[in-house]
Amino acid sequence: MDKIELLAPAGDLEKLKTAIDYGADAVYLGGEAFGLRKASKNFSIEKIKEGVAYAHARGRKVHVTLNIIPHDKDFDGLDEYLHALEEAKVDAVIVADPGIFMRVKKASSIPVHMSTQGSLTNSETVRFWRDLGAERVVLARELTLDEIRAIEKDVDGVEIETFVHGAMCMSYSGRCLMSNYMTGRDANQGDCAQPCRYKYHLVEENRPGEYFPIESTEEGSFILNSKDLCMIEHIDELIEAGIRSLKIEGRVKSAYYLATVIRAYRMAIDAYYADPKNYRYDPRWLEEIKKVSHRDFTTGFYYGEAKGPEGISDSVTYIKDYDFVGVVLDYDPETKRATIEQRNRIFVGDEVEVFGPGKDYFTWTIEDMVDQAGTPLEVANKARQVFTAAIPRPVEAKDMIRKKVED
């Protein structure tokens, strides 16, 4: 049985490596042009080559986004860029626009995936893009699981990819005009200002300047602000629907976010394939995901939801119960000390959790810390400060350390 692909975002090279180390089968990233996430650091061609080499050496894949909605001027340099991507040996490009699609097919042999920005909501559209040469389609988030099953059954010869985790856009297939209208930043050119997260008030036309709150909570109303998508509880249904790739959103998220979320989905997917007939959802997977900054969760449109208040988040504030405080650089089995790089303040006496790829976390109370000069520390509070500490269990480089946020 071919395993479903776990596809993760990569906002920079560190995040690409983290995603692969923590269990992603493939990553998607944006170059310095033609993609929809200017807020992430994105990749030069040289960085793409380095990322592809890292992924391919581990049997993983790299997809590159070319999913802007272009004007004529935006085609300048596209053919040269495609040639560079081809030389870098990327595994696919993700495209939303028919014009870019045709240019990719003419100028390169790179496999093409149709983006969710293309509003792929029915079998005829999927068949259309398949017949033009698309190898995969990323279906619109607005489809139900029953509709996805029907498309998969009705159209052969093309892979189905769907989003399963992360932020949801208030506009159909993410094609929003609000950011451009309100701030001059074009979401369809990769520069969304996220106006759906703003707090809104009501103004009556004969009372200019008088702002009436539309209150759903004490904080106000966020009528366009969606909850985050999370399908960790339904991995078996997604796999059995015939979906080929499960996509996680979040190219501007942290490496810690990626490690935590990817690790949870990796455990769930592997548990299913280990024994499909007796597969059971483990609540600990969701508990793990909740240890990163997140909004309340929803299953989006998969079960016909997200049509009313149940899909709207009542706050723009993220839920954050844990801090990412360190990453393991090395471990000495003779002294049983770990070398750690600080990412948030750590104190002697802190109770922390240590986790890594493919293994459960354990709890550890820090009893001592020593800096690189051999000086004992009570607190590591300098950015990326390196220190050593005695640790009760063996750890490995790239393991991460988190601490519960104090109330």
Side-chain angles (χ1 to χ4, degrees):
M1 182 189 297
D2 289 337
K3 277 190 175 183
I4 200 167
E5 177 185 86
L6 179 59
L7 177 59
D12 58 31
L13 195 56
E14 178 197 10
K15 295 173 187 178
L16 180 149
K17 293 178 179 180
T18 298
I20 289 172
D21 293 341
Y22 274 79
D25 298 301
V27 297
Y28 64 100
L29 56 88
E32 294 177 332
F34 307 108
L36 280 181
R37 283 294 179 273
K38 288 184 181 177
S40 61
K41 293 180 181 177
N42 293 324
F43 287 71
S44 66
I45 286 295
E46 291 306 312
K47 292 294 185 184
I48 290 175
K49 288 179 180 178
E50 187 177 347
V52 169
Y54 190 88
H56 286 183
R58 292 156 180 79
R60 317 298 171 82
K61 294 183 177 182
V62 174
H63 308 162
V64 175
T65 58
L66 303 177
N67 55 349
I68 62 168
I69 307 301
H71 297 243
D72 278 346
K73 62 180 175 59
D74 297 315
F75 285 85
D76 294 344
L78 177 58
D79 288 358
E80 293 80 3
Y81 186 59
L82 288 167
H83 295 156
L85 292 179
E86 199 162 28
E87 289 181 3
K89 299 181 180 178
V90 303
D91 297 282
V93 291
I94 305 168
V95 170
D97 177 74
I100 288 185
F101 185 101
M102 297 310 296
R103 286 285 284 272
V104 173
K105 300 300 289 184
K106 288 177 182 177
S108 79
S109 59
I110 305 172
V112 184
H113 297 175
M114 269 306 294
S115 169
T116 188
Q117 298 283 124
S119 300
L120 288 87
T121 58
N122 60 78
S123 296
E124 290 299 331
T125 300
V126 172
R127 194 175 288 111
F128 171 85
W129 288 113
R130 179 204 63 186
D131 292 349
L132 283 178
E135 296 191 11
R136 179 182 291 184
V137 294
V138 188
L139 295 181
R141 287 179 176 88
E142 292 78 16
L143 293 180
T144 67
L145 192 55
D146 285 342
E147 289 174 310
I148 293 168
R149 289 191 190 101
I151 291 172
E152 196 281 329
K153 194 172 292 185
D154 190 39
V155 186
D156 58 11
V158 65
E159 296 179 347
I160 301 295
E161 177 180 306
T162 64
F163 279 92
V164 295
H165 194 91
M168 298 272 285
C169 183
M170 52 75 62
S171 286
Y172 212 92
S173 294
R175 298 180 74 159
C176 181
L177 299 176
M178 285 184 63
S179 178
N180 202 353
Y181 177 77
M182 297 177 70
T183 71
R185 291 171 51 181
D186 192 343
N188 297 308
Q189 294 278 315
D191 202 19
C192 183
Q194 293 194 313
C196 55
R197 310 300 183 195
Y198 298 174
K199 182 188 296 187
Y200 288 91
H201 290 77
L202 182 68
V203 177
E204 198 272 326
E205 66 176 339
N206 293 319
R207 294 176 176 82
E210 293 186 40
Y211 298 94
F212 301 93
I214 315 170
E215 294 183 342
S216 56
T217 71
E218 291 182 358
E219 294 182 355
S221 180
F222 304 89
I223 55 177
L224 305 175
N225 184 29
S226 174
K227 294 179 181 177
D228 282 354
L229 178 65
C230 179
M231 289 293 288
I232 192 75
E233 298 177 68
H234 307 281
I235 291 297
D236 52 342
E237 292 181 85
L238 296 170
I239 294 173
E240 291 163 9
I243 297 167
R244 179 67 190 89
S245 179
L246 303 182
K247 189 170 193 172
I248 294 169
E249 182 275 340
R251 273 189 281 154
V252 298
K253 298 290 189 180
S254 68
Y256 168 65
Y257 176 96
L258 293 178
T260 305
V261 173
I262 292 164
R263 176 172 166 270
Y265 276 89
R266 179 80 273 154
M267 289 190 290
I269 291 168
D270 290 350
Y272 175 87
Y273 285 105
D275 190 0
K277 291 184 179 178
N278 297 305
Y279 172 81
R280 294 289 183 273
Y281 160 71
D282 188 336
R284 290 183 300 174
W285 300 329
L286 182 57
E287 290 173 10
E288 281 294 292
I289 286 174
K290 288 182 176 180
K291 291 179 180 179
V292 298
S293 179
H294 65 280
R295 299 181 181 90
D296 288 327
F297 290 128
T298 175
T299 54
F301 292 85
Y302 277 102
Y303 301 101
E305 300 174 7
K307 295 179 180 178
E310 65 271 17
I312 297 173
S313 177
D314 60 7
S315 173
V316 75
T317 304
Y318 282 89
I319 301 166
K320 186 178 181 182
D321 295 327
Y322 282 78
D323 279 332
F324 171 37
V325 295
V327 60
V328 175
L329 302 179
D330 197 9
Y331 173 73
D332 186 335
E334 293 185 4
T335 63
K336 297 182 180 180
R337 295 186 72 83
T339 302
I340 297 165
E341 183 180 84
Q342 176 260 29
R343 294 300 177 89
N344 267 300
R345 288 190 307 168
I346 315 174
F347 294 85
V348 170
D350 278 347
E351 184 177 83
V352 297
E353 294 178 359
V354 184
F355 69 97
K359 55 190 175 186
D360 203 359
Y361 74 87
F362 67 89
T363 302
W364 162 44
T365 299
I366 299 175
E367 295 180 352
D368 80 297
M369 297 189 296
V370 177
D371 71 13
Q372 290 178 292
T375 305
L377 300 172
E378 288 299 316
V379 57
N381 57 2
K382 298 175 182 176
R384 294 184 178 250
Q385 184 174 7
V386 176
F387 63 93
T388 68
I391 192 164
R393 296 192 199 179
V395 290
E396 298 175 272
K398 301 180 183 178
D399 286 356
M400 294 188 178
I401 303 169
R402 63 195 174 206
K403 179 176 71 172
K404 191 169 180 59
V405 175
E406 296 180 4
D407 295 332

